[in-house]
Amino acid sequence: NSEVFRGPYISVITNRTTNLLIRGTMLFGVGVFLALVLNLLQVQRNVTLFPPDVISSIFSSAWWVPPCCGTASALIGLLYPCIDRRLGEPHKLKREWSSVMRCVAVFVGINHASAKVDFANNVQLSLTLAALSVGLWWTFDRSRSGFGLGVAIALLATLATQLLVYNGVFQYTSPDFLYIRSWLPCIFFAGVITMGNIGRQLALYECKVVQEKIHQD
C-alpha cells in the first residue's frame, strides 16, 4: 500500500513548493495593485507628500512603495493560513471568493473614507476608522489569531512608517500622532485582515486541488 501511495504524495509535496510560489506571486501582485490605487487616493487628497524628485510615476507614488506593500502582502497572505494550521483554529466563516471580494471592497472603502470624507476632527476620524476596521474583522474573519496578527503587524507597520517620516522619506500634511496620522494603524489593521483573507482563500483552493489529485491518483 505504501508503494501505491508514495508516488502521489511525492508529487503533492513537490507541487506544494510550486503552489507556495504561485500564491506568493499572486499576493504580491494584489498588494502592488492595491498600493498603487490607494496611494493615488492619498496623494490626490494631499494626505501624503513625497519630495518632487521622488514622484516619478503616473501614479504619483514613490517607486519603492508598491514593491514594499507587495512583499508585505505576500508574507501576510502566506502567514495567515500557516498560523491557522499551527494553532488548530480553522476559519469558521464560510469561505467564498465573493466574500473575499466584498472584504477587498470594504477595505478600499475605508481607505477612501480616510482620504475623501471630511470629519470634524482627527479624533472623530480615527474612532470611525477604528470601528470600521474592527467591523471588517468581525464580518470577514472573527478569528482570535487573525485579530492578534492584525494588531501586531499594524503596530509594526506604524512604527516603520514613523521611522520613514522621521528620516524625511515622505511626510503627512497634518500629522497629529508622532509625525503621522492617528488613523494610520486602523488602515494597516484593515489591510492585514484583507490580505489574510485572500491568503486563506488561495490556500483553501490549493488544498482542494491537492485532495482531488490524491483521489485521482
Side-chain angles (χ1 to χ4, degrees):
N1 291 336
S2 61
E3 293 293 332
V4 174
F5 287 104
R6 183 178 300 172
Y9 278 112
I10 290 176
S11 64
V12 166
I13 292 173
T14 303
N15 287 335
R16 280 180 179 173
T17 302
T18 303
N19 291 333
L20 190 67
L21 293 175
I22 294 174
R23 279 194 288 141
T25 302
M26 294 177 66
L27 289 164
F28 179 86
V30 172
V32 169
F33 175 76
L34 289 176
L36 291 172
V37 173
L38 299 178
N39 191 67
L40 179 61
L41 285 176
Q42 300 288 343
V43 173
Q44 283 183 337
R45 187 65 173 177
N46 290 326
V47 175
T48 56
L49 293 177
F50 290 93
D53 56 337
V54 176
I55 302 179
S56 56
S57 72
I58 59 175
F59 295 102
S60 298
S61 171
W63 68 268
W64 49 267
V65 173
C68 288
C69 292
T71 302
S73 299
L75 293 175
I76 292 168
L78 295 175
L79 181 62
Y80 260 69
C82 179
I83 294 297
D84 289 340
R85 289 193 296 268
R86 292 288 184 180
L87 297 180
E89 183 182 357
H91 199 243
K92 297 178 181 178
L93 297 182
K94 188 176 182 180
R95 296 185 186 178
E96 294 178 348
W97 278 112
S98 59
S99 177
V100 174
M101 292 301 101
R102 288 196 298 271
C103 182
V104 173
V106 173
F107 172 57
V108 174
I110 292 175
N111 277 270
H112 188 271
S114 70
K116 297 289 186 180
V117 180
D118 293 321
F119 287 84
N121 52 63
N122 286 326
V123 174
Q124 183 180 359
L125 173 60
S126 299
L127 292 177
T128 301
L129 294 181
L132 290 174
S133 299
V134 174
L136 176 76
W137 166 80
W138 180 256
T139 304
F140 300 104
D141 191 318
R142 297 190 190 180
S143 66
R144 290 172 295 178
S145 60
F147 186 86
L149 277 174
V151 171
I153 296 175
L155 292 176
L156 289 175
T158 301
L159 177 60
T161 304
Q162 287 177 328
L163 293 175
L164 291 174
V165 174
Y166 180 76
N167 287 286
V169 177
F170 68 98
Q171 62 180 328
Y172 287 90
T173 51
S174 301
D176 61 315
F177 178 71
L178 298 177
Y179 308 107
I180 63 172
R181 302 296 290 271
S182 56
W183 45 258
L184 194 60
C186 305
I187 301 296
F188 284 140
F189 177 81
V192 171
I193 298 301
T194 300
M195 295 311 304
N197 271 327
I198 296 175
R200 281 168 167 163
Q201 188 66 27
L202 290 173
L204 179 65
Y205 177 76
E206 176 190 332
C207 288
K208 289 181 178 179
V209 172
V210 170
Q211 289 174 358
E212 291 176 357
K213 183 175 179 61
I214 291 177
H215 290 311
Q216 289 174 358
D217 293 336

